[in-house]
Amino acid sequence: MAIPTHYDIKLSCGHTEKNKDLSQKPAGERAQFVKWLEHKGQCWNCYTKANKDEYAQRDYEEAVENMAVFGLNELEGTEKQVRAGTRIRNHKLVAALETFVRGDNPSMDEDEFETRIVEPARRIARAGYWIANIEVELEDLEEILETAVENHPQDVESENPF
């Protein structure tokens, strides 16, 4: 009798994964793996929900490290806004760098990127600005940064710190 390769598994989170393909596992390890999943395994949704805070913390720490790389200041706002805005700003700038400078079809060199993207981003001090623009496409990033610096003084850092 052949050892099955597909199982219906009731995971420890209470959800059932139907027809789970375990054909990549050696036949002698499948039954033990199913038992482990039943006692300790979680579905993807439950796993991500349970680990959301840990991911957000790691993401924020990475964003803070990148602030030094890009020469960015800490954002202004409530603690929750600052954490969210910092993460969003980091995602936008890293994605823009990868796309516009290091991508398959680069449209800027590093100096242009610094001038056209990073310098205006440095001047935006309000975390809420980044939160409000979370859905902006990378192609529009330069324009919204330029517009913010020119037309929205409430979002821009003051030259005079006193």
Side-chain angles (χ1 to χ4, degrees):
M1 184 166 155
I3 296 174
T5 57
H6 290 75
Y7 296 82
D8 289 342
I9 304 168
K10 183 163 173 120
L11 300 163
S12 66
C13 62
H15 295 108
T16 301
E17 193 161 332
K18 298 231 181 250
N19 207 24
K20 172 81 171 166
D21 183 3
L22 298 179
S23 60
Q24 299 301 317
K25 282 238 170 258
E29 295 178 15
R30 292 180 196 146
Q32 187 62 35
F33 185 62
V34 169
K35 284 183 183 178
W36 181 86
L37 287 172
E38 290 173 341
H39 289 86
K40 302 213 176 181
Q42 294 179 321
C43 68
W44 179 248
N45 288 337
C46 290
Y47 175 80
T48 54
K49 189 175 181 182
N51 293 291
K52 176 179 69 170
D53 293 339
E54 182 181 324
Y55 168 76
Q57 180 62 30
R58 281 195 317 262
D59 195 35
Y60 176 70
E61 289 169 0
E62 180 182 310
V64 169
E65 288 174 17
N66 284 341
M67 284 171 54
V69 173
F70 288 118
L72 301 167
N73 295 320
E74 188 170 325
L75 296 172
E76 300 168 359
T78 67
E79 181 180 347
K80 187 175 181 180
Q81 289 172 331
V82 168
R83 290 179 73 80
T86 300
R87 291 173 57 210
I88 294 164
R89 176 179 65 180
N90 184 61
H91 285 265
K92 294 285 184 199
L93 293 179
V94 169
L97 179 65
E98 292 300 320
T99 301
F100 300 141
V101 178
R102 298 180 181 157
D104 293 335
N105 250 344
S107 58
M108 299 180 200
D109 63 27
E110 288 193 18
D111 291 334
E112 283 180 291
F113 181 76
E114 175 77 19
T115 302
R116 293 167 52 187
I117 304 292
V118 178
E119 286 179 10
R122 280 188 194 122
R123 298 195 54 210
I124 298 172
R126 196 171 65 81
Y129 175 84
W130 294 99
I131 295 167
N133 287 291
I134 191 171
E135 298 295 328
V136 169
E137 299 293 329
L138 285 180
E139 296 78 30
D140 301 325
L141 184 61
E142 181 179 6
E143 183 179 351
I144 67 147
L145 291 172
E146 190 177 290
T147 304
V149 170
E150 292 173 1
N151 302 330
H152 300 282
Q154 73 276 13
D155 293 329
V156 177
E157 188 172 62
S158 169
E159 293 293 324
N160 183 356
F162 300 104

